[in-house]
Amino acid sequence: MLQSMTETLRPRRSCLAVPGSNPRFLEKAKGLAADQVFLDLEDACAPLVKPEARKNIVAALNEGGWGTKLRV
């Protein structure tokens, strides 16, 4: 069991925070060399744009192209 656990673990050396309110940043994040991408709907987004930011993030996740990046 321990062997299978260690096979699924991988280090996260870098985490890129991307505001969900900016589709251009979301698209660019797909090609950057980060281990993890944090798709931000809180501090990086003004309250009035949060509904659109949610739609942007859902679209970006559904489009794919993230490679092996962990998306959070």
Side-chain angles (χ1 to χ4, degrees):
M1 173 111 179
L2 182 62
Q3 182 180 9
S4 64
M5 244 177 80
T6 57
E7 289 174 8
T8 60
L9 297 176
R10 64 179 202 222
R12 291 180 231 154
R13 297 170 298 254
S14 58
C15 178
L16 176 65
V18 182
S21 58
N22 192 321
R24 189 175 58 108
F25 287 2
L26 290 168
E27 188 61 34
K28 185 173 183 178
K30 293 178 184 183
L32 296 177
D35 296 319
Q36 177 175 305
V37 178
F38 169 63
L39 306 170
D40 195 353
L41 287 170
E42 292 300 322
D43 296 334
C45 298
L48 293 176
V49 299
K50 287 184 190 237
E52 189 63 31
R54 287 184 190 96
K55 291 177 186 176
N56 294 341
I57 288 176
V58 168
L61 291 171
N62 285 332
E63 289 169 3
W66 294 94
T68 60
K69 289 176 187 56
L70 182 62
R71 280 110 33 217
V72 297

